[in-house]
């Protein structure tokens, strides 16, 4: 279902919104559009279309994903990529508007939503998603940020081909797509959790078993009103794990005090669950 949703989303984004205003998408999709533009305009080659080039460019990336990330993940990525290639090739849509800003924003919104949903359900859309996942493990940067770095060169090429105004409109679409993608793909969003509890052993054990997260014991504390002895614990989880964490705390110590904040930057060893 996620693969079909992504395929429909990227088809609508490109065929209905972006192509009508000569706007480029993000990552390998934008590179495929760029190759089509160059080959058709300057080399008069018509068979190197965006869907064909999207599939060809992703072949070596799929090999890397199969080896470095996981077979299950890569298989469904191939399914999503194959469906999007077929949909883009055979399904065309009439432009809803010629306004480049509207096309950029709504194309980015639809593309980012489809990509983020696919990543959230455990599959990828190929291209920079796989490269981004591998680089995120090394650098800690979000997938959307990694995409935007790569896309700088796509925008530069679009400026040369169509002018700077088109490049700026494309940048709007890429920015919207990246932000929506980051908002939906919650596995990469880290949360700092501070727990004040009088059942530290049970809480630590259940977090280790349920979330496979380490817990740091900060120290002992005493309630100012109740005078009861407490223990302060610290751990880091992803936003994706927040629901499971809440259930663990409800079952282990429903009367504990928990403070959760977003982590801006994280250094050190943070275990990231591998994608199958």
């Amino acid at each position: 279902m996620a693969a079909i949703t992504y395929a429909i989303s990227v088809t609508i984004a490109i065929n209905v919104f972006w192509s009508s205003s000569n706007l480029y998408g993000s990552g390998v999709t934008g590179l495929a559009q760029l190759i089509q533009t160059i080959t058709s305009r300057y080399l008069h080659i018509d068979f190197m279309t965006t869907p064909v080039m999207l599939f060809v460019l992703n072949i070596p990336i799929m090999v890397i994903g199969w080896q470095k990330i996981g077979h299950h993940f890569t298989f469904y990525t191939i399914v999503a990529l194959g469906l999007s290639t077929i949909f883009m090739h055979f399904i065309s849509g009439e432009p809803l508007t010629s306004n480049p800003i509207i096309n950029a924003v709504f194309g980015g919104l639809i593309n980012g939503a489809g990509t983020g949903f696919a990543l959230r359900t455990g599959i990828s859309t190929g291209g920079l998603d796989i490269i981004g996942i591998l680089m995120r493990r090394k650098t800690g940067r979000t997938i959307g940020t990694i995409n935007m770095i790569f896309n700088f060169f796509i925008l530069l090429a679009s400026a040369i081909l169509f002018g700077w105004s088109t490049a700026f409109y494309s940048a709007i679409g890429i920015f919207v797509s990246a932000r929506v993608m980051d908002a939906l793909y919650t596995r990469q969003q880290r949360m700092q959790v501070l727990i004040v509890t009088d059942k530290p052993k049970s809480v630590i054990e259940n977090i280790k078993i349920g979330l496979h997260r380490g817990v740091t014991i900060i120290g002992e504390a005493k309630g100012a009103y109740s005078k009861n002895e407490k223990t302060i614990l610290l751990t880091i989880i992803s936003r994706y794990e927040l629901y499971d964490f809440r259930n663990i705390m409800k079952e282990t110590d429903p009367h504990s005090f928990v403070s959760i904040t977003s982590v801006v930057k994280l250094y050190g060893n943070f275990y990231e669950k591998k994608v199958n």
Side-chain angles (χ1 to χ4, degrees), residues 104-223:
V105 171
F106 281 90
L109 179 64
I110 294 172
N111 182 75
T115 304
F117 177 70
L119 288 168
R120 183 172 182 148
T121 54
I123 68 172
S124 168
T125 59
L128 287 188
D129 294 347
I130 289 178
I131 296 175
I133 289 173
L134 294 174
M135 290 185 65
R136 178 165 50 82
R137 291 178 179 176
K138 298 292 185 181
T139 65
R141 293 184 179 274
T142 66
I143 289 179
T145 301
I146 293 169
N147 281 353
M148 292 185 70
I149 295 173
F150 178 88
N151 290 330
F152 170 79
F153 298 99
I154 301 295
L155 295 176
L156 182 61
S158 69
I160 295 173
L161 292 172
F162 294 109
W164 283 106
S165 60
T166 298
F168 290 143
Y169 291 135
S170 296
I172 294 173
I174 290 172
F175 178 81
V176 171
S177 180
R179 296 284 73 80
V180 173
M181 186 193 312
D182 280 345
L184 291 176
Y185 185 48
T186 55
R187 289 179 186 268
Q188 64 185 344
Q189 300 173 19
R190 285 98 183 246
M191 315 292 293
Q192 177 177 287
V193 181
L194 190 69
I195 307 167
V196 181
T197 178
D198 54 8
K199 300 178 181 179
K201 291 183 179 180
S202 298
V203 171
I204 292 172
E205 188 67 20
N206 287 338
I207 290 176
K208 285 182 177 180
I209 295 174
L211 299 178
H212 302 287
R213 294 295 176 199
V215 180
T216 299
I217 302 175
I218 296 180
E220 301 299 324
K222 180 183 291 187

Side-chain angles (χ1 to χ4, degrees), residues 4 28 74 85 124 156-157 182 231:
I4 297 175
V28 175
T74 307
T85 301
S124 168
L156 182 61
D182 280 345
T231 301

Side-chain angles (χ1 to χ4, degrees), residues 28-39:
V28 175
T29 301
L31 181 58
Q33 290 177 279
L34 180 63
I35 293 175
Q36 179 187 14
T37 301
I38 294 174
T39 54

Side-chain angles (χ1 to χ4, degrees), residues 28 31-33 35-36 39 47-59 85:
V28 175
L31 181 58
Q33 290 177 279
I35 293 175
Q36 179 187 14
T39 54
F47 69 89
M48 298 176 69
T49 62
T50 295
V52 170
M53 292 311 304
L54 182 62
F55 188 83
V56 171
L57 291 172
N58 271 285
I59 292 177
T85 301

